[in-house]
Amino acid sequence: MNSRIRALLTILATVIGGLSLVLYTTLSQDIIFDGLSYCTSSSSDLAFGGLATFASAVLAGFIASLIVVRDNHWPHFFISLFIVGKMSFAVLCGQWSGPIWFETGMNLSLLAGLWIGCYGAVKFPLAPV
């Protein structure tokens, strides 16, 4: 694979992986669990919403890995930078609706899920080589 196609696949995987992460986390936090928040949600909603958020990150990491043909981790690095930047921006501007430890844990679960999805796609036997 030449470098031009590799760069194009990296950009495409970053965009599609990032957009799928935004779509799936919005779906799991805002639509299915009706605005997941530490202050207003029940404990069962928090538990299942946290699992759904983690699963959405795993799925986004898996999708991004399949696009770049398993050997390129740059899209995951860029998406991770986006998550850390979003978390830092929320801290600096005070945009969190719950305690810092809860919101940080949710964002760290996004990071962990993204990289677990990457690992899962590398080990997935039907992924293209």
Side-chain angles (χ1 to χ4, degrees):
M1 178 180 325
N2 64 18
S3 62
R4 215 186 249 177
I5 291 175
R6 187 173 173 92
L8 179 67
L9 285 176
T10 300
I11 292 169
L12 184 69
T14 302
V15 170
I16 290 176
L19 289 177
S20 65
L21 181 67
V22 169
L23 173 72
Y24 295 140
T25 53
T26 300
L27 180 70
S28 64
Q29 290 180 354
D30 293 335
I31 295 174
I32 295 174
F33 291 101
D34 198 26
L36 189 67
S37 174
Y38 183 78
C39 298
T40 59
S41 299
S42 67
S43 58
S44 63
D45 281 348
L46 289 175
F48 289 123
L51 286 173
T53 301
F54 178 74
S56 66
V58 170
L59 187 60
F62 189 81
I63 289 170
S65 285
L66 289 182
I67 292 172
V68 293
V69 195
R70 301 189 313 177
D71 65 342
N72 187 349
H73 300 295
W74 283 106
H76 300 87
F77 178 71
F78 291 134
I79 296 170
S80 295
L81 283 179
F82 171 73
I83 293 170
V84 170
K86 180 187 76 128
M87 187 170 51
S88 300
F89 183 75
V91 167
L92 293 174
C93 295
Q95 296 296 318
W96 283 351
S97 61
I100 286 182
W101 62 268
F102 175 75
E103 298 293 337
T104 303
M106 291 295 279
N107 285 310
L108 289 176
S109 75
L110 286 176
L111 287 173
L114 182 73
W115 286 99
I116 288 173
C118 174
Y119 178 75
V122 168
K123 297 298 179 184
F124 189 60
L126 298 177
V129 177

